[in-house]
Amino acid sequence: MRSWQRCLDAAGVADGDDRAAYLKAKQFMLSREPAGHVAVRLLMPARLQPHILAGYAFASFTDDLCDRGTVEERTRRYAGWAEQVRTALDTGTARHPLLRAFLHTAEARELPRSWVDSYLVGAEIDLDFGGFTTEDDYQGYIDKLTWPFLMITSGLSMPGGGSQAYADSCRLLADACQRTDFLTDLAEDLRDGRLYLPTDDLEKHGVVRSDLEQGRDLPGVRSLLSATAATAHATLREATRIVAELPAEQRTLTRFVILLHDQRLRRATTMGAAVTRRPVRDNPAVCLRLLARSHRPDLTLPALRAGS
């Protein structure tokens, strides 16, 4: 692992205030997502590590503002932050360290502003989320929020955000990862009064919301959760095409992300209805094995089977 100072040198971050801002972004991610921070530090080229961590720090900080507090509190707080971000994009300057680091990264990596603007608008969905009725509602959420999130984080790997083909592959990965997260975080979301599974899907399996909220181990609940996992996994398998679209030095981290979500889906499938009562947690020993496996050039995801 290269020292952080050498990574900043490799990334072309020379200004002292900018270097301090990137350190804040790194510390934020180490605190918020320690496993993700370690993966970036171990698996990404030194010259890209500051940029990837700055992108994730900015997007994650924004996401946190939308999730914490009452609707009125987070709406007011987010409005102020969004205005601050847009002003910073217009002027090229920012006092907030996470925003300052992201601005430097966005310029250095030639990130299209349209992705940032799209994310700022899409993030408003989570301020007062009312749920999905149909699959189309869910896919709209991916287009407006999750896809832009991925493009201002992982998309920084490619100058200018990459080609349209690369962006389309990112969209597949965003879909797969988001549906996985909605499944593995189902218990916590329900406790917070949120349900991210389309109600049409519940009706197809004869399930009502209270079945999930009360953690009932019913055949319909099990079939709903199994179908959700299968859909997520099919999309994840399709999204593996993104690895071939990346430069060789950048493929390891993406393989790890894909393998990690594959493992989470398998764990959720094994747990069955228990995912309504407790979230799916990563096993540190398994994560270490996935880190080692991500260095292998082959990436095959066997089909997901019920109870696997």
Side-chain angles (χ1 to χ4, degrees), residues 232-246:
H233 199 259
T235 309
L236 187 65
R237 294 176 74 185
E238 187 177 358
T240 58
R241 75 187 198 193
I242 196 174
V243 175
E245 297 169 356
L246 287 163

Side-chain angles (χ1 to χ4, degrees), residues 6 23 31 64 70 98 105 128 130 167 241 256 280 288 303:
R6 290 187 177 183
L23 177 60
S31 173
D64 290 346
T70 65
L98 301 189
T105 279
D128 190 13
R241 75 187 198 193
F256 173 74
V280 177
L288 288 175

Side-chain angles (χ1 to χ4, degrees), residues 27-204:
Q27 292 171 335
F28 176 83
M29 289 310 298
L30 178 60
S31 173
R32 187 184 188 274
E33 299 286 349
H37 170 271
V38 170
V40 170
R41 294 285 281 129
L42 287 175
L43 303 179
M44 285 298 285
R47 62 183 176 80
L48 290 178
Q49 289 183 27
H51 297 311
I52 298 300
L53 289 175
Y56 272 104
F58 164 74
S60 299
F61 181 82
T62 303
D63 182 62
D64 290 346
L65 290 178
C66 298
D67 287 343
R68 297 173 181 173
T70 65
V71 173
E72 293 77 14
E73 289 171 344
R74 55 178 180 252
T75 298
R76 182 176 61 254
R77 189 169 54 236
Y78 179 73
W81 174 247
E83 181 180 359
Q84 186 177 346
V85 172
R86 292 187 177 103
T87 299
L89 292 169
D90 290 339
T91 63
T93 60
R95 297 182 62 183
H96 194 288
L98 301 189
L99 183 51
R100 182 185 180 109
F102 178 72
L103 279 180
H104 187 280
T105 279
E107 180 179 1
R109 301 302 295 168
E110 301 175 355
L111 180 70
R113 176 167 173 169
S114 59
W115 287 116
V116 185
D117 288 334
S118 295
Y119 178 62
L120 289 175
V121 173
E124 295 176 358
I125 299 172
D126 274 345
L127 293 174
D128 190 13
F129 180 75
F132 306 125
T133 299
T134 67
E135 175 67 14
D136 286 345
D137 294 335
Y138 164 77
Q139 292 298 332
Y141 183 94
I142 301 300
D143 285 332
K144 295 175 184 177
L145 179 56
T146 315
W147 189 16
F149 181 101
L150 197 64
M151 292 305 297
I152 64 176
T153 53
S154 298
L156 293 168
S157 298
M158 305 289 275
S163 66
Q164 184 59 52
Y166 174 75
D168 290 343
S169 294
C170 282
R171 206 277 181 196
L172 280 172
L173 186 58
D175 185 353
C177 292
Q178 186 67 87
R179 202 184 300 264
T180 299
D181 291 349
F182 285 164
L183 180 61
T184 58
D185 295 340
L186 180 60
E188 292 179 335
D189 289 336
L190 288 170
R191 282 197 292 271
D192 290 339
R194 296 187 178 192
L195 175 62
Y196 286 98
L197 304 184
T199 54
D200 276 4
D201 287 354
L202 272 66
E203 293 176 2
K204 289 176 186 176

